[in-house]
Amino acid sequence: NPQTVKTTLNGFCALCGKDLNISKLNRGKSYAVDHNHQTKQVRGIIHASCNLLIGLVERGGITPNQIGDYLSI
């Protein structure tokens, strides 16, 4: 429920801290309920794009250091 998301996180992504843009939440495409795949514990509500990044890191496809190195170019 978008209102619960807004209340829980004050409308901001739990990962990057930027506005979740609550007006787009009704489409169900701008955010994700992030969770630990082993324990199933919910970590927070995050942007769909932030969720994709976490997935790459968790599956070992890329490391946070690689991201930082690339962005420093």
Side-chain angles (χ1 to χ4, degrees), residues 1 6 10-11 14 19 24 28 33 36 48 53 59-60 63 67 70:
N1 161 329
K6 184 174 183 178
N10 206 20
D19 192 344
K24 291 185 179 177
V33 178
N36 181 310
L53 178 62
R59 287 188 298 276
T63 68
I67 296 167
Y70 177 79

Side-chain angles (χ1 to χ4, degrees), residues 9-23:
L9 295 172
N10 206 20
F12 297 94
C13 176
L15 179 63
C16 72
K18 293 183 181 174
D19 192 344
L20 282 170
N21 198 355
I22 298 301
S23 64

